[in-house]
Structure formats: structure tokens, C-alpha cells
Amino acid sequence: MEYVYGLKKSGISIIKFFNKNKIKYHCWDDNEYTRKKVSKIILNNKLINPDLTNLNEYTHIYVSPGITVRQKKFKKINKNKLVRDLNLYWSHISNEKIVAITGTNGKSTTTKLIGDMIKKHNISAFVGGNLGKPLLDSLLAKKKFTHHVIELSSFQLELISSFNPKISVLLNISQDHLDRYIDFKDYIKQKKKVFTNNKTGYNLISLDDTYCKNFYKNRKIINKISFSTKNKNADIYYNNFTIYDNFFNLNKKIKINKISRDLNGDFNYQNILVAYIVSKILKISKNIFLNNLSNFKGLPYRNKILVNNKNLIIINNSKATNVEAAYKSLQNYNNVILILGGMAKEKNFKKIKKLSDKIEIVYAFGHSSEFIKNQLHHNIKVKKYKNLELVIKNIYKIFKENLIKKTLLFAPACTSYDQYKNFEERGKHFDLLIKKYNRRFINAQN
């Protein structure tokens, strides 16, 4: 008998897999609304509260990535029984070629960029994991996928002991999810589990931060390909719209003439390098790789430009849920009105001060607004509001007073859970607010 705890996307996918394969299970979600919502796919009243049963009696306890396994109810359980959807997925993989992507920032864009490219090469590919479709959907589909491109979070990786993808990718590491781990070292330890020890597999590792660089130096990690936007000695290096390949072809230069607007920003150059390396490993033509870059349609709420005219640029980066993501987004702009807010995962926002010359003012909102103001106000002007709509309403008052070109950057550096279900709902609300107040602003100008 199996047990599934947490009935969001990954949990539902596991239940569907169990139903299809006639595997006995019990399940639960702490949210009553969620339980009612999924009750139609749960066969024969399988809902059993974990507080009312001995979880050690089950073969495995499949815990949703959104739930920490450091809860009290898990303390007395055999640790080998605690697993995620990745464990079940991996145990049923046969000959599929897996491209597994992790990192603190940029995972989703890289996953989609590679997935799109592989599909354009007429390869049957499943694209999902932490992004979009859950992992088990790849095994439930009627269509057989020869390749899987999967985004993996540290939460999915933390309970896996043996994992051997065809291609493993580590994009970057910076402080994140410290509310879920003992310390930063613990978080880094989970990311390491993405690496393959398969002699025919590849480990793609960035040299652009200290932590990734240390992994690259680790002799136990084999078949490594380094990539960088800073280090010319990397196997694959990017500079000034040119890829320098010293791994597959000595001193080869690949000039990139056009990049989609949805790949704007220096932080996307890592994603481009990884897509190039994957294209070489999978023998995808240069033309397909370049065409994919120029026509790429990005995911919503990731540095999406909503307005771009002579007076104003407005960017929605609701996906920036940590300080590093906000910092990288900020690097690309000047005269910035920066919106930060939500529930802070980190106790230090001081890195933002390093780019204070780019910032005109910070608007902070939500649960951590007071904390953010206290961190930044000595170096940067900060205004604090209760919610996002009040922020946008007051920002547009500034636009009426001063038409010097400005950049409005929504890069919250916090989770959304104080006022929204997720960063997508937050991003959608930002889009609607900009549409509403921008229309009023234009009408007033006319």
C-alpha cells in the first residue's frame, strides 16, 4: 500500500498513475477545498488523514514537493519511505533520454528553450517536471516520448539517491528556500543530486558563481562541460552575441544575429549556452538552434516587457521570487522604479544596494514591506504600501508629473503567498493593473 500526501499537480499525477496501474494507495491533502476538488479521481474513498494512521505501515510516502519532510509527523518515519514524484518517475524510466535542469534561477526558461528546440528537430519530447506538466504525466501519456526535458527543484531532488540522466544541467546557485533547509550548505547539497554518474552522460556546469565552480572542480563528477558568460577559459563561452566553442570544435565561433525579445537580459545568455551544448550532444542542426533563439516565445511573468515607448518601459518579472533573481533583472536597466514585496525567503536584501545607482525609488508592498524598507532606506528611497494595486496607483501619479524615460520593474524578490496563490496569479494581477492604469494614463494625456 502506498501513501500520497499533497494533492496538487504532482500528487494528482501520482494518483492517476496508481489508478492506471491498479496500485493500492491512500492519500490526503490538508486543504479541504483541494480534497473536494480531486475527489472525483480518487477511487473508493482513499482519503486517510496522516495524523490518524501509522505512516510507517505504507511502502512509500509520496510527499508533494510543496511540503517539507521536516514536519513533526515525519520524524518517526523510516527515511527510506519518504519520496517525491521524481523517485517514482525515475523507477519507471527505461530508454528515454533525459535532459534534467536545475539551478536557483532560469530553470523554466532553459527547459522550455531546449524543449522547443528538440521538438523543432522532429524529436518526440516530453517537457515538464517542476515546470508545467508533472513528471508522471510523461508515463501516463498515450504517446511515447523518446526524450524528456525536465526542470527539477531542490525539493524534488532532495529525496532521490540514484539519478542518471543523459544530460544534467546546473545553471547557477544562490541563496534560496532557506526557510526549508538547515542552512545554505544543505540547499547546495540537494542541487548536487542532479549530476549523472553514467559514463555516457554529460554534466553541464556553469562557472559563473563560486558554488557551481566548486562542483566543476570536484573530481568525482565526471564527463563535465563548463559554460560561462564571464570566464573565457570555459569549454563554451558567450560574449557579444557570439558563442565560443572549445569543446566540440576547437576555437569555433557561432555568431548569433537575432535573439527573441523574450530572451532579453544578460541572465538569459546562460540559457542560450546550455541550449547550444544540448544541440551539439543531440546532433541538432545549427540552423534549428539559431531559429529557435530568434523565434522563442517565453513563459509568462518572466521579464516580460509589457510597455516599451519613448517615455516608459514596464517589465513583469513576478517569477523573481528571491533577491538574486531581482538583482539580475535589475542589472539590465537604468532609472528604475523597482517594486519589491510579498513574503521574504531571505533575511538580507542588501545586495540590491549594490545597484542603487540604477534605482530611483523602491516601492515595497505586502507582508515583508517593513523589513525591506528597513534593509534599504539608508541608501535608496523606499515607499511602503499594503498591496500591489496601491503601489501601481501611486506610481502612475509619478508618471503624470515627470515624463523623463523610466523603467518600471516588477521583480518582487519574495514569494507571493501572503496575498496570492503563486507567482503566476501575482503576475497576472500585475498585468491587469498595468493595463487598467496605463489606459487611464493615456486617456489623460490625450
Side-chain angles (χ1 to χ4, degrees), residues 122-140:
N122 293 321
I123 294 175
S124 173
F126 169 81
V127 181
N130 191 52
L131 160 74
K133 296 179 181 178
L135 292 171
L136 270 296
D137 278 19
S138 65
L139 306 178
L140 290 166

Side-chain angles (χ1 to χ4, degrees), residues 266-278:
D266 296 354
F267 43 82
N268 276 311
Y269 297 153
Q270 274 196 344
N271 308 337
I272 290 169
L273 285 176
V274 171
Y276 170 75
I277 298 169
V278 171

